[in-house]
Amino acid sequence: MKPQILTALLYLTGSALLAQEGNQLDLGRLQTGATVAFVRDVGGEWGIEISGGGAPRLTQPKPAQIEVFAGGENVRQLAAGYVSVQKEPDAIVAKANVAGGGKAAFVVEDRWKISGATLLLDRKVSVTGAETNAGFYSAIRFSTAPAVKWEDADYFAPGLLYGEPHTSAGAPGGSLPYRVKLFSIREDYLSAPLFGVSFRDGNWAAVLDPAPRGDTTQAETTAPAATPIIDERIQFGALGASEVPKGGMDLGFWLPGTTTEFGGGFGMREGTTATPVVRRRYHPVKAGFSQSYQVAFRFGKSESFSGMERDAWRWAWESLKPKVTPVDVEVVRRTLTDHLADRVLTVEDRAGVPFVIDAVSGKPGSFRPALMSMSRRGGQAPDRKSVV
């Protein structure tokens, strides 16, 4: 055997033994200074720990998390640590077997990498044990230390949540989910599939779907919230944070995007109470079925919450690289101007554009023209008393 080949074999063998022996295997160090390590428990399973560098310690002893829904109240929460971890030059490949409470069984293969201040996960879940009419989602979540309180953090979801809730009580980022300490938001509700948590010491963590798809069906979009949908075509996930029963909070992503919602949605008033409804969206527990997705966790430190928003937004933009669609600005300007001019109504000596127009009949609703577009005949601007 050639010396080069022998050396390579010895290297690979040594790496494999290193991955299985000892109680800790380091993936590497984030740009923040924190170390990402795989840690083995007394039962022989491997979990993940992110610590050091002045950042809050985040852990997940059982990274392979599965929810199985078999109808009605039959919902099982399954979780397992990795049975093997294999070190590669720039990644760690970890595998887990998840089963329990029925015929459903899953093999989870995770590939973890570090890029700057970002921890990247590439996951594949394969169904190896089937259950008729059952559905599942898989999740990855990291938890803080129990001492971290829900109220000691600010939360960020683009377009929905900026610090404390400011939208309607029942909205996905509203005060009701804040009070029950559970944010679970479909990624297609967001202008970027991102959710962040900012701690009082300036450290923050955010989770992003770096390769969103968003596939859904007509049945899924029109079904009542309480109607479960099990369909392998669903490809949208959900993100969020929740309080952990034993203290602390977790942050994560799961696919498909089952969410806990409050009746009334954006129309609910502040102070309204409602019973949460779980909008169940699952993939089938069908032998041979598999799901694949990517998740990115970003860690940083900012002087303020607005600084965290800025940094998280820029990270999302750079990761997603949204395409800009060029338009003829002059054509758009002329078209919009013509459209508004066509909508102008004149009542007595006042003219303006109504706020509401029936999309079917084309007739305006109550005549409440915008003040900026109103004028009296002859060019004299009206005073406020003349506004209807």
Side-chain angles (χ1 to χ4, degrees):
M1 182 178 294
K2 293 182 178 181
Q4 296 89 338
I5 298 177
L6 178 61
T7 300
L9 289 174
L10 289 173
Y11 172 80
L12 292 174
T13 303
S15 297
L17 290 173
L18 178 63
Q20 302 303 323
E21 296 178 356
N23 294 320
Q24 180 168 323
L25 179 63
D26 291 348
L27 171 60
R29 193 178 296 273
L30 294 163
Q31 202 172 58
T32 60
T35 298
V36 180
F38 289 73
V39 181
R40 186 159 58 178
D41 62 21
V42 294
E45 292 188 336
W46 296 80
I48 306 176
E49 178 179 303
I50 305 168
S51 60
R57 181 171 175 264
L58 297 173
T59 61
Q60 182 45 258
K62 297 184 181 297
Q65 300 176 334
I66 305 286
E67 178 175 292
V68 176
F69 172 76
E73 300 300 317
N74 188 352
V75 181
R76 306 192 300 274
Q77 302 294 337
L78 311 176
Y82 296 124
V83 294
S84 68
V85 289
Q86 176 69 52
K87 186 70 178 288
E88 296 185 349
D90 63 343
I92 282 182
V93 178
K95 296 182 180 180
N97 300 315
V98 185
K103 297 181 179 179
F106 310 86
V107 173
V108 178
E109 180 174 307
D110 289 345
R111 177 180 293 271
W112 293 92
K113 298 178 65 175
I114 289 176
S115 176
T118 304
L119 177 61
L120 301 168
L121 168 64
D122 195 331
R123 166 169 285 186
K124 181 178 181 180
V125 181
S126 301
V127 181
T128 57
E131 284 190 32
T132 304
N133 299 323
F136 81 97
Y137 73 68
S138 67
I140 178 64
R141 301 181 180 94
F142 284 104
S143 300
T144 68
V148 178
K149 304 297 184 184
W150 177 263
E151 298 81 6
D152 292 337
D154 291 313
Y155 304 91
F156 174 49
L160 289 180
L161 181 59
Y162 299 86
E164 293 185 0
H166 62 282
T167 57
S168 299
S175 60
L176 284 177
Y178 177 80
R179 287 204 295 269
V180 301
K181 302 176 182 180
L182 171 61
F183 286 119
S184 61
I185 305 173
R186 281 175 57 147
E187 63 180 330
D188 55 358
Y189 283 2
L190 302 167
S191 50
L194 169 74
F195 191 93
V197 178
S198 178
F199 303 101
R200 291 292 181 256
D201 62 359
N203 285 293
W204 58 267
V207 58
L208 171 76
D209 178 359
R213 290 182 55 182
D215 301 23
T216 186
T217 66
Q218 180 70 16
E220 188 279 319
T221 58
T222 58
T227 301
I229 300 293
I230 301 173
D231 196 317
E232 61 187 70
R233 293 172 292 177
I234 298 174
Q235 293 298 326
F236 62 82
L239 313 96
S242 63
E243 185 178 61
V244 178
K246 295 183 179 180
M249 69 180 74
D250 62 23
L251 170 72
F253 174 88
W254 52 98
L255 182 88
T258 290
T259 53
T260 300
E261 302 174 359
F262 294 85
F266 288 93
M268 296 190 68
R269 299 185 304 276
E270 184 66 32
T272 304
T273 59
T275 301
V277 175
V278 180
R279 189 181 293 269
R280 302 189 182 280
R281 300 296 184 259
Y282 299 105
H283 283 156
V285 183
K286 180 176 66 175
F289 175 79
S290 65
Q291 60 172 212
S292 299
Y293 55 90
Q294 297 174 314
V295 185
F297 291 90
R298 175 84 170 199
F299 306 93
K301 187 167 187 176
S302 302
E303 295 182 356
S304 63
F305 178 74
S306 59
M308 176 267 194
E309 289 181 69
R310 178 196 63 228
D311 295 342
W313 254 117
R314 290 179 178 177
W315 170 54
W317 182 274
E318 292 168 358
S319 300
L320 298 170
K321 296 180 173 60
K323 294 182 179 179
V324 176
T325 302
V327 298
D328 189 326
V329 176
E330 180 56 31
V331 171
V332 173
R333 185 196 65 79
R334 186 171 62 252
T335 301
L336 291 176
T337 302
D338 291 347
H339 174 74
L340 286 174
D342 186 57
R343 297 292 94 190
V344 171
L345 295 177
T346 301
V347 176
E348 297 176 352
D349 61 347
R350 288 158 292 175
V353 179
F355 283 129
V356 180
I357 295 178
D358 188 295
V360 177
S361 67
K363 296 180 179 180
S366 59
F367 182 61
R368 294 179 177 271
L371 179 62
M372 63 178 292
S373 63
M374 292 188 304
S375 64
R376 289 183 182 275
R377 292 180 182 177
Q380 182 181 356
D383 57 28
R384 289 187 178 272
K385 293 182 181 180
S386 68
V387 177
V388 294

